[in-house]
Amino acid sequence: MSGTEGYNFAYLDEQTKRMIRRAILKAVAVPGYQVPFASREMPLPYGWGTGGIQVTASVLGADDTLKVIDQGADDTTNAVSIRRFFARTAGVATTTRTAEATVIQTRHRVPETPLTGDQILVYQVPIPEPLRWLEPREAETRALHALGDYGVMQVELYEDIAIHGKIKRSYDYPVEVADRYMMSPSPIPKFDNPKLSDCPALQLFGAGREKRIYAIPPHTPVRSLDFEDHPFDIDHPGTPCALCGDTESFLDEIVTDDKGGRMFVCSDTDHCAERQAEAGHDA
Amino acid sequence: MTRDDALLSVRDLALDYGNGRGVRDVSFRLWPGEVLGIVGESGSGKTTLLKLLGGQLAPDAGTIHYRMAGGDMVDLNDLSEARRRHLGRTELAFVHQNPRDGLRLAVTAGGNVGERLMADGARHYGRIRAAALDWLERVEIEAGRVDDRPTTFSGGMQQRLQIARNLVSGPRLVLMDEPTGGLDVSVQARLLDLLRGLVADLGLTVVIVTHDLGVARLLAHRLMVMQGGRVIESGLTDQVLDDPREPYTQLLVSSVLAA
């Protein structure tokens, strides 16, 4: 590695990684609980994944294969920069294939390809506190978590139904982890919420600016909040992906011209490319 | 009714704000279905006493024993935070003088009424909404306003909404701090009428703080007169108001302007 002399493996020094690993262990032991940690300054701005990158640096080993996704895509600025960052500072192999990766750092999506028990999914989290917009005082939100006093979020969902006829929240949809803590799943679309539950992979969440780490251990029940008579439901535009024809995946709407032209394509670029390659192979 | 049936038993309650103000040596008992009025001038410790009863302030000395729905007597200040909060949204209710302190202004009227139910575990939208509509009707707010925010309500409506929001969980002890303060007389009269009806219908036990002796006479069965943080006189409402013993109470009663 040229230009990285004097840097430790995966950028962070070993003491920092130990500190972060201790926070991760605690987070795994108490699913959904936000563990404070001494977040470091990273060579990228807050909001670009400083929490996720610190968690990734702490769990990464020399023989890991890293994949980084940003809104489902492997080729956007955030994904490319973080992937290159670890390729340089840790010299690990990188990939865009979900099935080949052992550590996947993600911003705002869960891959369409089902994860396995050999994988770790690291989420970048901007605001870890699900109650933040309902209760501004940090001391009070901690008390509410400690007491399991989550009525205020239910009021928020009630308001959606009363005003819009249904729960309108479509991303960062609050969940309850292991029948105890309410947790923000980070701004993933609510389409991805069902994938969090009983997932074989370890899911870690890092919030750098807010200095919190939380986790969903493998095979943990995760329930999206709802009402008995307004159950949790996912949205789908109802059209197949224009490129690979998938009717099940989460779609991005792409505006193609200024005359109202648009197309729906898979948000998960790896998933879409793989399906297109398969289709081409068959033909 | 024996003396041991008391719903609330307060003994030697004291709180000093550090400047000699607060409350001192307050002891009283309250039986189910009773309405206790606390009167006195501004700064006499009325609201402080009410906040002590509601658990919003911790006393320096003294005890507040409350009989739970199950019959157990508990000291409100010995309860864990979790149990105190639970009690505060099920069995106790606190009606603030300014409805804006007791309401969520960014949340619709229906959400405001439903909050206590949801905090206590209700997860059926239809039933929560039905309860909200029922309570809006009981406090004389049109059903059509259920999805409006309290900021669009008049002062009297806000106060009635706050009362609905508190009573929806079927509390046993209601603490009211000047519920009619800041309302004009016709609205006051209507609110008093409503309160009197609710108290009678639901058999509520109420502690009501007021400086308005007319309100006290209409609602309260018993009165406590406070001055300088102490209870200087207490007794049946008519007795205290018609035949005051203490010089201060005599002054208070004679200060009321006859309309």
Side-chain angles (χ1 to χ4, degrees):
Chain A
M1 281 187 289
S2 61
T4 53
E5 292 86 7
Y7 280 101
N8 191 29
F9 175 78
Y11 186 77
L12 290 176
D13 62 273
E14 291 303 313
Q15 284 303 319
T16 300
K17 286 199 241 173
R18 286 183 63 180
M19 174 272 291
I20 294 173
R21 285 174 197 143
R22 279 196 293 267
I24 292 173
L25 285 175
K26 186 168 177 182
V28 170
V30 193
Y33 172 71
Q34 300 167 44
V35 182
F37 79 110
S39 177
R40 299 290 193 253
E41 290 226 11
M42 297 301 285
L44 77 168
Y46 287 134
W48 287 44
T50 52
I53 210 169
Q54 289 179 77
V55 171
T56 301
S58 311
V59 297
L60 209 57
D63 51 356
D64 270 318
T65 307
L66 179 70
K67 170 183 163 79
V68 184
I69 43 182
D70 173 8
Q71 304 271 19
D74 293 280
D75 52 4
T76 53
T77 314
N78 197 251
V80 170
S81 329
I82 294 175
R83 193 163 59 230
R84 197 169 52 195
F85 175 81
F86 282 115
R88 282 185 64 188
T89 59
V92 292
T94 59
T95 181
T96 59
R97 304 281 305 273
T98 302
E100 288 169 10
T102 54
V103 176
I104 303 172
Q105 180 171 336
T106 178
R107 173 173 175 268
H108 307 183
R109 269 317 303 282
V110 178
E112 302 288 353
T113 312
L115 301 174
T116 68
D118 300 327
Q119 294 176 312
I120 298 177
L121 188 57
V122 178
Y123 295 78
Q124 301 171 197
V125 183
I127 296 167
E129 179 50 74
L131 300 169
R132 177 54 65 238
W133 304 116
L134 309 173
E135 172 52 64
R137 293 166 293 175
E138 176 69 15
E140 181 63 16
T141 56
R142 287 196 204 187
L144 293 177
H145 280 295
L147 300 170
D149 190 353
Y150 295 136
V152 58
M153 180 60 87
Q154 213 67 31
V155 173
E156 184 75 1
L157 301 181
Y158 168 95
E159 288 289 285
D160 267 7
I161 301 176
I163 295 168
H164 305 286
K166 62 171 191 171
I167 300 174
K168 153 189 83 122
R169 214 175 245 259
S170 59
Y171 67 97
D172 204 355
Y173 191 104
V175 295
E176 182 190 73
V177 182
D179 297 324
R180 177 60 183 89
Y181 283 100
M182 186 197 288
M183 189 195 92
S184 155
S186 84
I188 60 171
K190 72 173 176 181
F191 179 91
D192 284 339
N193 270 21
K195 295 181 197 159
L196 302 184
S197 189
D198 198 30
C199 176
L202 171 63
Q203 302 174 75
L204 302 173
F205 297 77
R209 176 173 40 207
E210 303 287 327
K211 302 178 171 52
R212 295 289 183 277
I213 286 174
Y214 51 101
I216 305 175
H219 300 293
T220 303
V222 177
R223 186 178 69 83
S224 302
L225 300 183
D226 59 3
F227 285 96
E228 288 160 20
D229 49 345
H230 284 266
F232 174 79
D233 196 16
I234 56 174
D235 296 325
H236 194 278
T239 52
C241 168
L243 299 179
C244 74
D246 195 345
T247 54
E248 311 270 284
S249 70
F250 186 74
L251 302 177
D252 281 342
E253 183 181 11
I254 310 225
V255 174
T256 51
D257 55 34
D258 59 358
K259 300 179 184 65
R262 62 193 59 196
M263 63 195 287
F264 285 99
V265 299
C266 289
S267 130
D268 187 334
T269 52
D270 167 58
H271 172 76
C272 196
E274 221 166 283
R275 280 180 54 92
Q276 288 179 60
E278 266 174 38
H281 205 68
D282 293 343
Chain B
M1 198 173 282
T2 65
R3 294 189 67 79
D4 295 337
D5 291 342
L7 181 72
L8 195 67
S9 174
V10 175
R11 185 164 301 167
D12 301 330
L13 206 58
L15 174 76
D16 190 338
Y17 282 121
N19 53 4
R21 293 182 164 273
V23 297
R24 269 174 291 176
D25 307 329
V26 175
S27 300
F28 68 92
R29 292 208 230 184
L30 192 62
W31 281 270
E34 248 191 334
V35 179
L36 174 68
I38 302 176
V39 296
E41 61 194 4
S42 297
S44 60
K46 306 188 299 283
T47 299
T48 301
L49 175 58
L50 204 68
K51 284 185 174 168
L52 286 167
L53 297 179
Q56 282 140 316
L57 291 173
D60 293 336
T63 56
I64 305 168
H65 281 97
Y66 171 79
R67 187 176 301 282
M68 308 276 284
D72 295 337
M73 209 71 177
V74 293
D75 188 337
L76 289 182
N77 292 302
D78 285 348
L79 288 182
S80 67
E81 177 80 8
R83 282 191 75 195
R84 186 157 54 227
R85 283 185 188 224
H86 180 255
L87 207 63
R89 61 174 182 253
T90 52
E91 298 198 14
L92 302 187
F94 199 105
V95 177
H96 294 263
Q97 173 173 9
N98 186 344
R100 284 155 187 268
D101 294 336
L103 290 171
R104 282 185 191 274
L105 294 179
V107 166
T108 62
N112 265 295
V113 178
E115 180 172 0
R116 275 174 161 243
L117 300 175
M118 289 184 257
D120 203 31
R123 292 292 179 268
H124 191 285
Y125 175 82
R127 283 201 283 273
I128 293 166
R129 195 162 174 85
L133 286 167
D134 176 43
W135 268 98
L136 288 186
E137 194 191 323
R138 289 168 88 159
V139 298
E140 297 165 21
I141 295 174
E142 293 164 49
R145 304 297 303 269
V146 65
D147 292 333
D148 291 345
R149 299 215 161 88
T151 40
T152 66
F153 286 11
S154 70
M157 281 171 80
Q158 288 182 353
Q159 194 57 284
R160 279 179 279 145
L161 180 62
Q162 193 196 179
I163 288 165
R165 167 187 161 87
N166 272 288
L167 297 188
V168 68
S169 63
R172 298 168 67 228
L173 176 60
V174 183
L175 308 172
M176 298 191 192
D177 188 6
E178 307 264 17
T180 59
L183 301 175
D184 70 58
V185 275
S186 62
V187 174
Q188 250 190 47
R190 197 167 153 204
L191 187 71
L192 282 173
D193 223 31
L194 176 76
L195 280 177
R196 214 145 58 133
L198 288 173
V199 167
D201 290 350
L202 304 173
L204 297 174
T205 313
V206 180
V207 179
I208 182 166
V209 159
T210 182
H211 57 240
D212 186 333
L213 295 183
V215 170
R217 193 190 284 275
L218 268 175
L219 284 178
H221 303 143
R222 277 199 298 145
L223 274 191
M224 292 201 317
V225 183
M226 292 190 72
Q227 187 192 21
R230 290 177 192 277
V231 175
I232 55 164
E233 183 166 355
S234 63
L236 297 175
T237 302
D238 289 347
Q239 176 197 329
V240 172
L241 292 182
D242 294 339
D243 186 15
R245 188 184 66 222
E246 294 291 321
Y248 173 73
T249 315
Q250 290 167 5
L251 183 74
L252 201 67
V253 170
S254 63
S255 314
V256 177
L257 295 175

